[in-house]
Amino acid sequence: NEIRTDYIDIVLMHCLTVGDWAERYAGVMEALTEAKDSGKIRAHGVSCHDFDAFDAASHNLWVDVVLARINYGGHHMDGPPEKIVPVLERMHRKGKGVYGMKVVGQGELEHDVGNAIHYVLDLPCVHAITIGMVTRREVDENVGRVEEHQLAPA
């Protein structure tokens, strides 16, 4: 057991850029389904870098989890927030796990990190976020921002 674990929580096909990804990567999907059925992974899904691929993921029953690019500025996303959020809401309604990435717009919202984090955390259709950080200070500040958001009155 090279990775010293009995199972992996989530395995994603990364950076899908075409709407027909399910047909193109049917073999990969089959292998991941077998891994899930045998208990080696708990969930499978996708990250997309194209709106058609992203939209297709929202309709695909195979997708358990989506790593989605979302931020209030529309930076490095598959479309503007007003086009992306309804798709995220559809994913959520269909029971898919939705993780937000590019929350700070790949650094383009660095001047407004707190509001960028809060924007995504305020979306009920997003279950968790990932944020790239380089220093311990950034980690501490961002943890504080998330904790601050959790303590804010609804």
Side-chain angles (χ1 to χ4, degrees), residues 54-66 86-98 125 127:
F54 181 67
D55 189 53
S58 75
H59 298 288
N60 190 298
L61 297 176
W62 178 86
V63 174
D64 299 322
V65 177
V66 178
V87 179
L88 294 175
E89 290 169 339
R90 179 182 323 126
M91 291 173 174
H92 176 76
R93 282 192 309 275
K94 291 185 175 192
K96 299 178 188 313
V98 177
C125 55
H127 302 107

Side-chain angles (χ1 to χ4, degrees), residues 3 17 27 62 77 84-85 90 93 98 100 123 129 138 144 146:
I3 60 174
T17 58
W62 178 86
M77 291 174 42
I84 297 302
V85 171
R90 179 182 323 126
R93 282 192 309 275
V98 177
L123 296 171
I129 61 174
E138 288 176 335
V146 171

Side-chain angles (χ1 to χ4, degrees), residues 13-22 24-25 46-57 67 69 77-78 101:
M13 293 193 299
H14 181 59
C15 196
L16 300 178
T17 58
V18 292
D20 67 347
W21 59 263
R24 289 182 188 219
Y25 303 117
V46 299
S47 75
C48 301
H49 291 251
D50 168 83
F51 183 79
D52 290 339
F54 181 67
D55 189 53
L67 184 60
R69 300 185 296 174
M77 291 174 42
D78 299 318
M101 69 170 164

